[in-house]
Amino acid sequence: MKFSWRVLVLWTLPALVIGFFFWQGAFANTPADMGKNAASTRMTYGRFLEYLDNDRVAMVDLYEGGRTAIVEAVDPDLDNRVQRVRVDLPANAPELITKLKEKNVSFDAHPVRNDGAIWGLLGNLVFPILLITGLFLLFRRSSNLPGGPGQAMNFGKSRARFQMEAKTGVMFDDVAGIEEAKEELGEVVTFLKQPEKFTAVGARIPKGVLLVGPPGTGKTLLAKAIAGEAGVPFFSISGSEFVEMFVGVGASRVRDLFKKAKDNAPCIIFIDEIDAVGRQRGAGIGGGNDEREQTLNQLLTEMDGFEGNTGIIIIAATNRPDVLDAALLRPGRFDRQVIVDAPDIKGRLEILEVHARNKKLDKGVSLEAIARRTPGFTGADLANLLNEAAILTARRRKEGITLAEIDDAVDRVVAGMEGTPLVDSKSKRLIAYHEVGHALVGTLVKDHDPVQKVTLIPRGQAQGLTWFTPSEDQGLISRSQLKARISGALGGRAAEEVIFGRDEITTGAGNDLQQVTGMARQMVTRFGMSDLGPLSLESQQGEVFLGRDWTTRSEYSESIASRIDSQVREIVEEQYQATLQMMRDHRSLMDRLVDLLIEKETIDGDEFRQIVAEYAEVPEKPQYVPSL
């Protein structure tokens, strides 16, 4: 536990106060003058009477109502010196005063002071005062914590982070790879800076902009860039921060947020993950949350109600636009929907250039080659890729990031952490034939993506891997390309059957077969690439949204379902037989490639193609060169 002077003082001070009161209480009934003149020795009452009879008492001071006396007496044992002693007098001794008068002894009676009652009262108040003080300090401390007791009065207040001058440290120059989205949002910045430029021709400021795209494509980064460029007040909040378990709290927070925004207009409100509060109303099964629906209703009213919100621009981000309420998406609330998709090769190169600014790259590293090798990577993926490469460089104690670190980082990001290499055994040879089968089909089939490398080094759950690099960013895929990919995925199973026999095939092709079945089924049911004709029999859907998709019926009859299954089997069987024949025709080539792969454990694409070219004709494949 960390030592705290504040805690020490907090507990020491009450202890000192309590000790002080107890000390005062102990002497509460002792008069002040008796404390000053108190005798150091005591004398019994009988001895005192004896001294009194022998005229050895010079003076007597009575205290505490006659219960105690301080006596000045001549002590014969001390050479007749005067000594002050204390005598405890009996309660019933009325004759003492008479006797003192008879002996002409000077005496004085001191009145009793009533301090005891006061100190007793104060002593009784010590514990309540300390208890109240401790509770106050705890209450004050917890009130500074989010959700603490002190926040009870602010429960319905907005939790949006507010910046009068948004200094996010991000500008449009720091966002790359999504030029179309930047252009759309650049107009929003111009609206905020120079509204007269648009109002002069009758244009009005858009009320809302919805950023839609997969995770990691830069939606939140774009919002930060807008805030940094516009230089206007900026509110940022997550959709989940509106919804609470108590009905009405979320709506209260929405009202408070827009009230603050109107006081600081023109301004920007950024709502991240708006699907947490903007899901469709009346979802029915599993979706009836009154609190969330009231929050959404209040948000709809604030965005476009009777009052309006002149000067407030709402920017929201989501990766699930399909579950948002239709009333939220209409013009007047979100006038623009900006698609922030995964970048193409040109965009990936621009993103890599941004993230490579603070990285020390070796002269031999080509960012264009990295961009070509990373199709489908988002901006977050590319940032993570270069960071992993930098970590590997530091771990290997190199001065700059080389291609070796880049390659290892790509493999780590895509397939997982590198495992322990397999020892030379039957299992390793079987895996080698499996991977060579994939790579051989990818090299000999014209419409297949070219091989980037083949390796036997385990990564993640895979014992071996074959990497393919697309020749271009493919938005459209032809039927021949789909069939080529099916053949490539079946190459591993075909090689196992040709080399080891049907009884020795393994479970290593399990994931390959899932991909094959999925591609073949989409060819039949979605793309109309079968004998059933140009029919789309299944829609592309993600997860079932309860209340909307729960009662969705099948879009075709049982007889069509049977024909679909037949067509899927026919496509897969046709490609599998062609792949088996390819493996039989190039048996000697496979043996040589496997021996080389076992020896080196990794073969790059160029070396693989050179060896294949010695045995068969390698078809020309287009090389994509981006216009940068």
Side-chain angles (χ1 to χ4, degrees):
M1 181 182 295
K2 185 177 179 181
F3 179 77
S4 174
W5 285 104
R6 185 176 179 180
V7 174
L8 179 62
V9 172
L10 183 64
W11 288 104
T12 304
L13 185 59
L16 293 176
V17 173
I18 292 173
F20 172 76
F21 279 115
F22 274 110
W23 180 80
Q24 290 289 352
F27 295 96
N29 296 323
T30 303
D33 53 352
M34 182 178 175
K36 296 176 183 177
N37 302 318
S40 59
T41 60
R42 288 178 177 271
M43 178 184 291
T44 63
Y45 182 63
R47 189 174 179 81
F48 167 63
L49 294 178
E50 181 183 346
Y51 272 44
L52 187 61
D53 292 336
N54 295 329
D55 297 328
R56 294 182 180 276
V57 178
M59 186 178 66
V60 176
D61 290 319
L62 300 176
Y63 295 97
E64 298 179 6
R67 290 178 295 175
T68 305
I70 302 298
V71 179
E72 290 186 4
V74 178
D75 193 345
D77 297 332
L78 297 177
D79 299 332
N80 294 325
R81 287 184 297 178
V82 177
Q83 180 182 355
R84 292 178 63 84
V85 294
R86 178 173 176 169
V87 179
D88 293 329
L89 304 177
N92 298 317
E95 74 282 356
L96 179 61
I97 302 300
T98 303
K99 201 165 188 176
L100 291 174
K101 292 180 178 180
E102 292 177 354
K103 295 293 184 180
N104 294 321
V105 177
S106 175
F107 66 92
D108 189 11
H110 299 274
V112 178
R113 295 177 58 182
N114 197 21
D115 295 342
I118 298 175
W119 289 112
L121 177 63
L122 293 177
N124 292 332
L125 292 177
V126 168
F127 181 75
I129 291 174
L130 290 177
L131 179 61
I132 294 173
T133 303
L135 292 176
F136 173 75
L137 293 175
L138 290 175
F139 181 82
R140 183 179 180 183
R141 183 177 182 183
S142 62
S143 65
N144 297 325
L145 301 175
Q151 298 293 332
M153 300 303 295
N154 297 327
F155 198 64
K157 300 297 184 181
S158 171
R159 296 183 178 181
R161 274 74 62 192
F162 172 65
Q163 294 178 344
M164 192 63 191
E165 295 182 3
K167 298 178 181 179
T168 60
V170 181
M171 308 296 281
F172 276 143
D173 292 340
D174 301 315
V175 183
I178 41 179
E179 297 303 322
E180 296 82 2
K182 285 171 58 177
E183 183 177 352
E184 289 277 346
L185 297 173
E187 292 184 1
V188 174
V189 175
T190 308
F191 265 121
L192 292 169
K193 286 186 173 182
Q194 302 173 343
E196 66 280 356
K197 179 179 178 181
F198 297 91
T199 55
V201 295
R204 63 177 179 83
I205 298 177
K207 292 185 178 179
V209 178
L210 182 64
L211 305 179
V212 179
T217 51
K219 300 184 292 296
T220 305
L221 190 66
L222 270 174
K224 292 181 179 180
I226 295 172
E229 292 279 352
V232 296
F234 184 76
F235 295 84
S236 62
I237 192 171
S238 172
S240 61
E241 295 185 55
F242 287 115
V243 182
E244 290 282 353
M245 65 179 293
F246 303 106
V247 177
V249 174
S252 175
R253 289 178 178 174
V254 172
R255 288 191 295 270
D256 185 65
L257 172 62
F258 278 86
K259 179 179 180 300
K260 293 178 180 177
K262 290 173 184 177
D263 294 339
N264 293 277
C267 64
I268 295 175
I269 297 177
F270 174 61
I271 306 176
D272 200 6
E273 305 295 345
I274 194 174
D275 52 278
V277 69
R279 287 174 177 261
Q280 293 184 12
R281 293 168 292 178
I285 304 174
N289 186 339
D290 291 337
E291 160 63 4
R292 183 187 57 77
E293 291 190 6
Q294 288 193 19
T295 305
L296 175 58
N297 291 336
Q298 186 64 45
L299 181 62
L300 296 175
T301 303
E302 293 290 344
M303 290 185 67
D304 188 25
F306 282 102
E307 286 189 36
N309 56 353
T310 306
I312 302 174
I313 296 181
I314 297 94
I315 300 175
T318 182
N319 52 20
R320 292 295 307 275
D322 56 310
V323 303
L324 293 179
D325 194 88
L328 188 65
L329 298 176
R330 72 163 177 83
R333 292 196 173 103
F334 284 109
D335 299 303
R336 294 186 178 184
Q337 292 190 24
V338 179
I339 306 299
V340 187
D341 212 343
D344 57 10
I345 187 171
K346 181 180 178 181
R348 292 196 298 273
L349 180 58
E350 294 174 353
I351 293 172
L352 287 170
E353 289 175 348
V354 170
H355 291 296
R357 291 174 183 171
N358 61 343
K359 304 289 191 303
K360 191 173 182 180
L361 299 178
D362 188 77
K363 294 181 180 179
V365 174
S366 171
L367 295 180
E368 182 180 340
I370 302 173
R372 187 179 295 113
R373 192 186 166 186
T374 52
F377 274 46
T378 63
D381 294 331
L382 294 172
N384 184 43
L385 169 65
L386 289 184
N387 187 60
E388 287 288 343
I391 292 173
L392 288 174
T393 302
R395 186 182 302 166
R396 296 172 183 177
R397 298 181 180 179
K398 293 185 178 181
E399 295 183 356
I401 302 173
T402 65
L403 282 174
E405 283 73 44
I406 296 291
D407 290 339
D408 290 343
V410 172
D411 296 348
R412 181 185 179 91
V413 170
V414 175
M417 188 172 60
E418 181 178 325
T420 305
L422 299 171
V423 296
D424 196 0
S425 61
K426 178 183 176 181
S427 178
K428 184 175 182 178
R429 184 164 291 272
L430 189 146
I431 295 171
Y433 274 107
H434 185 102
E435 299 303 329
V436 166
H438 287 307
L440 193 58
V441 175
T443 303
L444 294 177
V445 176
K446 179 180 179 181
D447 295 311
H448 200 285
D449 296 330
V451 178
Q452 198 268 331
K453 73 174 179 179
V454 187
T455 180
L456 290 181
I457 299 176
R459 283 192 177 274
Q461 300 296 321
Q463 298 298 311
L465 290 167
T466 302
W467 302 89
F468 298 99
T469 302
S471 56
E472 60 181 357
D473 285 322
Q474 298 170 337
L476 300 175
I477 304 174
S478 65
R479 185 171 186 266
S480 59
Q481 288 175 322
L482 285 172
K483 294 175 68 174
R485 292 182 181 182
I486 292 175
S487 297
L490 292 170
R493 168 57 65 84
E496 290 181 16
E497 183 173 339
V498 168
I499 302 300
F500 299 99
R502 188 174 182 82
D503 292 337
E504 295 296 325
I505 58 177
T506 66
T507 59
N511 188 44
D512 299 333
L513 298 181
Q514 290 180 6
Q515 296 179 20
V516 165
T517 305
M519 286 188 287
R521 190 169 188 84
Q522 289 186 30
M523 288 177 65
V524 177
T525 60
R526 290 185 54 206
F527 305 136
M529 296 179 178
S530 68
D531 293 342
L532 289 179
L535 298 175
S536 179
L537 302 174
E538 291 180 356
S539 60
Q540 184 179 8
Q541 292 182 352
E543 300 175 2
V544 173
F545 184 64
L546 297 179
R548 184 190 66 189
D549 304 327
W550 188 256
T551 59
T552 301
R553 296 181 299 174
S554 175
E555 299 177 354
Y556 43 81
S557 65
E558 293 183 4
S559 61
I560 294 296
S562 177
R563 293 184 62 187
I564 289 173
D565 294 339
S566 175
Q567 287 292 307
V568 171
R569 292 183 60 189
E570 183 178 331
I571 292 173
V572 174
E573 185 64 24
E574 178 186 352
Q575 298 307 123
Y576 186 58
Q577 293 300 324
T579 305
L580 282 174
Q581 188 60 44
M582 186 182 299
M583 298 298 108
R584 296 189 186 101
D585 295 341
H586 301 88
R587 171 63 187 271
S588 59
L589 172 59
M590 289 178 61
D591 293 338
R592 179 181 173 185
L593 290 170
V594 167
D595 291 339
L596 181 62
L597 182 59
I598 291 176
E599 178 185 350
K600 300 180 64 174
E601 291 192 335
T602 300
I603 305 176
D604 62 27
D606 293 334
E607 184 179 3
F608 191 91
R609 283 184 287 272
Q610 289 177 3
I611 297 175
V612 173
E614 298 177 6
Y615 292 81
E617 182 179 355
V618 178
E620 288 287 337
K621 298 188 179 184
Q623 293 294 324
Y624 177 62
V625 179
S627 55
L628 303 177

